[in-house]
Amino acid sequence: MRPLSALLLTPLLLLGAFAQAQEPARAVFAGGCFWCVEEAYDKVEGVLSTTSGFSGGQVEAPSYQRVVAGGTGHAEVVEVTYDPDVVDYQDLLHVFWRNIDPFAVDRQFCDAGDSYRSALFPMNAEQRELGEASLAAVEERFGREVATEISDFEAFYPAEAYHQDYYQKNPLRYRFYKSACGRDDRLAEVWGNEAGGLPLP
């Protein structure tokens, strides 16, 4: 029979383990069409949810039509909610870079305009530091300047409901769009067999 002290200690140890678990964290990435960015992050273990929306502009709660028409300053983004005990921001950056063309200016693949620019929106000093380091590493790897911007996060506005999980709700249309847009071909051209890559083990 286990001593009473051990029986009393076990629940306390369990409570301590739960207390040490980190709260879900958030990150915001702009990588062109937010449908495609959602799909990329939904595959990552530790990602709890993805939400398509807009960040980086001056207009409050803009509509999709207004953003793509231009003039709002917003980019199409995905807000990623994740479990930092399973996946960290550096892993998410690894996925980000391998799902964009970092050299495209104010566009991604077939989608043109500043709303389709690639960007990081760090939400704190640590995310900014890691984001800047990752950008420098990409520039060093390719020996050229990248177009991806880094702007402090200010606000996130969810897109309309029909944009959320679009790739799951409309798989045929989505696959046709993605193929016709040349996304996979360009990613393979830039990143080789790392294209679309999940975090390294």
Side-chain angles (χ1 to χ4, degrees):
M1 183 174 178
R2 298 175 66 189
L4 180 60
S5 59
L7 292 173
L8 291 174
L9 186 58
T10 300
L12 293 175
L13 290 173
L14 290 173
L15 285 173
F18 284 121
Q20 291 174 8
Q22 298 185 66
E23 292 292 319
R26 293 188 304 147
V28 174
F29 303 98
C33 170
F34 44 30
W35 301 339
C36 300
V37 180
E38 265 199 29
E39 182 193 20
Y41 279 109
D42 280 344
K43 297 175 181 176
V44 178
E45 184 179 0
V47 167
L48 305 175
S49 67
T50 55
T51 306
S52 289
F54 314 104
S55 283
Q58 305 82 39
V59 177
E60 189 173 340
S63 67
Y64 171 76
Q65 288 77 11
R66 190 171 180 187
V67 170
V68 297
T72 68
H74 285 293
E76 285 195 17
V77 302
V78 170
E79 180 188 60
V80 178
T81 302
Y82 63 99
D83 181 350
D85 288 323
V86 179
V87 64
D88 60 25
Y89 187 69
Q90 199 156 0
D91 289 329
L92 299 180
L93 288 169
H94 178 92
V95 175
F96 169 75
W97 290 110
R98 286 151 184 81
N99 279 279
I100 66 164
D101 176 353
F103 310 112
V105 178
D106 286 342
R107 68 178 303 124
Q108 282 292 298
F109 315 106
C110 67
D111 296 314
D114 67 346
S115 63
Y116 294 106
R117 67 189 184 273
S118 63
L120 298 171
F121 292 96
M123 307 182 83
N124 53 49
E126 181 184 15
Q127 287 189 359
R128 173 169 275 279
E129 182 178 350
L130 291 171
E132 290 175 348
S134 73
L135 187 151
V138 171
E139 290 187 331
E140 182 177 359
R141 170 175 173 160
F142 290 100
R144 57 184 291 198
E145 187 175 350
V146 304
T148 304
E149 68 180 44
I150 300 179
S151 301
D152 286 335
F153 174 80
E154 293 184 359
F156 170 77
Y157 301 104
E160 294 85 347
Y162 70 91
H163 286 297
Q164 309 303 331
D165 301 314
Y166 186 91
Y167 77 97
Q168 294 176 328
K169 297 174 183 174
N170 303 277
L172 293 178
R173 290 182 182 179
Y174 172 72
R175 286 197 295 269
F176 176 79
Y177 156 77
K178 189 176 178 182
S179 175
C181 206
R183 189 179 189 103
D184 289 341
D185 290 342
R186 178 56 180 158
L187 288 177
E189 184 180 344
V190 174
W191 294 103
N193 60 10
E194 294 178 35
L198 297 179
L200 298 172

